[in-house]
Amino acid sequence: MLRTRAVAALAVVVGVLLATLPPAATAADYPDPQTVTGDTAIHDPTMIRLKDGSYVAYSTHGRLEARVSKDRTHWERAAVDAFATPPAWWYAYNDTADPWAPEITYRAGTYWLYYSLSSWGSNHSAIGVATSASGRPGTWTDRGKVFASETGDAWNAIDPYVVEDGDQLWMAFGSYWSGIRMIRLDPRTGKAHTADTAVRHLATRPDLPYAVEAPAIVKHGAYWYLFNSYDACCSGLSATYKIKVGRATSLTGPYTDSGGTPMLRGGGDLLLAGHGRYIGPGGQSLMRDRGAHVLVHHYYDGEDDGAPKLGLNELRWGEDGWPSVV
């Protein structure tokens, strides 16, 4: 009898606790990405609108796979990747010279393409850079290594994101290890600054394996906003990737979420998570297009055996200054 009463009392307590928890996310909690057609099988995308109004997207694998579009809706695989052949130095970081997670920018009349080289589970990694006058596939000239990490370092030099602050140029990067880091770049070369060699710390989480990666940063109003991917990428239907955001008054931080928790202590407001067929969104970049900030990411398609697909969501800025996806 006592055991029965104890079980009944425990059930009541559990019921009360469950009733106070927020409901599990449903498809209605997050908007679907923009409808896209054509060749949209893509991973870790970066995108830019070119001078003629057309779009190009580069992504992980190949020699940085390339896709082109006239309207940001219908996409076709380009006849060539970013590179026709891999630079010889790539082979020092993986034996297939397979680059990951590119990031394209336009600065000083030149397109700049940053990219990662590594092997799974290692921080023997490097970030490289190439330049092009047009930004089109097959036109890139490699400029070599920007920054590297080795097995004794507390960071991982992959997933670059480059951002300007006045006349200064910065690169955020990072994956697992101690999370998201930032270094200053030389605007002339686009590579690590030789006079300012500090490796700054922007975000991490308190639990191993510090699953934070793929930073992207944008300024809106008085704040800089840092978007990161959290949890498990690259596992199709089992992916738990999601995107969180925090902000700071300085590009180099400290970043906090809307509740004041520092991103260096695991903070971050959940911006986009899996819902319906759209599993594990992340690997994001940001693009400014026609007055709007566009979140460029991949997800795993629950209706196509977990294949990675292109996701595009515009950001809407609330009266409180925080973004949401639409």
Side-chain angles (χ1 to χ4, degrees):
M1 178 65 73
L2 289 176
R3 181 181 178 187
T4 301
R5 289 176 179 173
V7 170
L10 180 60
V12 170
V13 171
V14 170
V16 170
L17 289 174
L18 290 175
T20 64
L21 292 175
T26 67
D29 293 320
Y30 304 102
D32 294 345
Q34 169 193 330
T35 298
V36 291
T37 60
D39 187 342
T40 61
I42 199 167
H43 209 277
D44 304 322
T46 183
M47 185 182 299
I48 200 168
R49 190 180 185 194
L50 300 174
K51 296 174 185 177
D52 65 0
S54 65
Y55 299 84
V56 62
Y58 293 99
S59 60
T60 287
H61 297 317
R63 301 293 175 251
L64 296 176
E65 293 180 358
R67 289 164 181 80
V68 293
S69 173
K70 294 180 179 179
D71 57 7
R72 213 178 80 185
T73 298
H74 183 74
W75 292 88
E76 296 180 357
R77 180 74 182 267
V80 293
D81 292 343
F83 296 92
T85 57
W89 71 271
W90 289 9
Y91 288 96
Y93 292 92
N94 66 60
D95 57 11
T96 59
D98 182 30
W100 302 345
E103 179 61 30
I104 188 170
T105 66
Y106 180 75
R107 179 176 57 82
T110 298
Y111 291 92
W112 301 74
L113 186 64
Y114 290 79
Y115 56 85
S116 314
L117 292 158
S118 190
S119 57
W120 191 258
S122 170
N123 71 329
H124 171 61
S125 310
I127 294 167
V129 66
T131 58
S132 167
S134 70
R136 296 191 175 280
T139 68
W140 294 93
T141 299
D142 191 58
R143 303 299 181 186
K145 194 182 305 183
V146 173
F147 187 71
S149 59
E150 297 300 337
T151 54
D153 290 326
W155 51 79
N156 191 10
I158 68 170
D159 292 0
Y161 192 86
V162 175
V163 60
E164 295 179 79
D165 184 12
D167 61 355
Q168 294 186 352
L169 190 66
W170 298 84
M171 182 178 74
F173 65 91
S175 172
Y176 287 66
W177 273 261
S178 60
I180 306 304
R181 298 280 182 155
M182 174 175 273
I183 62 169
R184 189 176 169 192
L185 302 180
D186 182 338
R188 182 181 59 85
T189 64
K191 298 182 180 181
H193 205 289
T194 56
D196 183 352
T197 60
V199 181
R200 296 157 175 88
H201 206 180
L202 302 186
T204 189
R205 58 194 303 175
D207 51 320
L208 287 170
Y210 311 116
V212 187
E213 57 188 5
I217 301 176
V218 69
K219 191 172 188 183
H220 177 75
Y223 292 95
W224 294 93
Y225 292 80
L226 171 61
F227 301 78
N228 299 318
S229 293
Y230 288 72
D231 297 325
C233 169
C234 314
S235 51
L237 298 175
S238 300
T240 57
Y241 238 18
K242 56 183 66 71
I243 301 170
K244 295 184 179 182
V245 62
R247 72 183 185 185
T249 55
S250 168
L251 173 60
T252 56
Y255 288 86
T256 61
D257 61 24
S258 61
T261 302
M263 295 189 86
L264 280 170
R265 295 211 300 266
D269 288 358
L270 185 59
L271 181 78
L272 185 62
H275 60 285
R277 69 185 291 181
Y278 306 101
I279 298 169
Q284 71 284 337
S285 179
L286 289 164
M287 174 180 65
R288 184 75 170 174
D289 187 25
R290 297 174 181 173
H293 291 106
V294 181
L295 186 72
V296 181
H297 58 93
H298 69 253
Y299 66 89
Y300 302 95
D301 192 343
E303 296 181 4
D304 190 15
D305 199 29
K309 300 286 183 69
L310 174 64
L312 299 174
N313 290 87
E314 291 190 1
L315 296 183
R316 175 180 293 158
W317 299 93
E319 292 183 0
D320 59 358
W322 288 93
S324 60
V325 288
V326 296

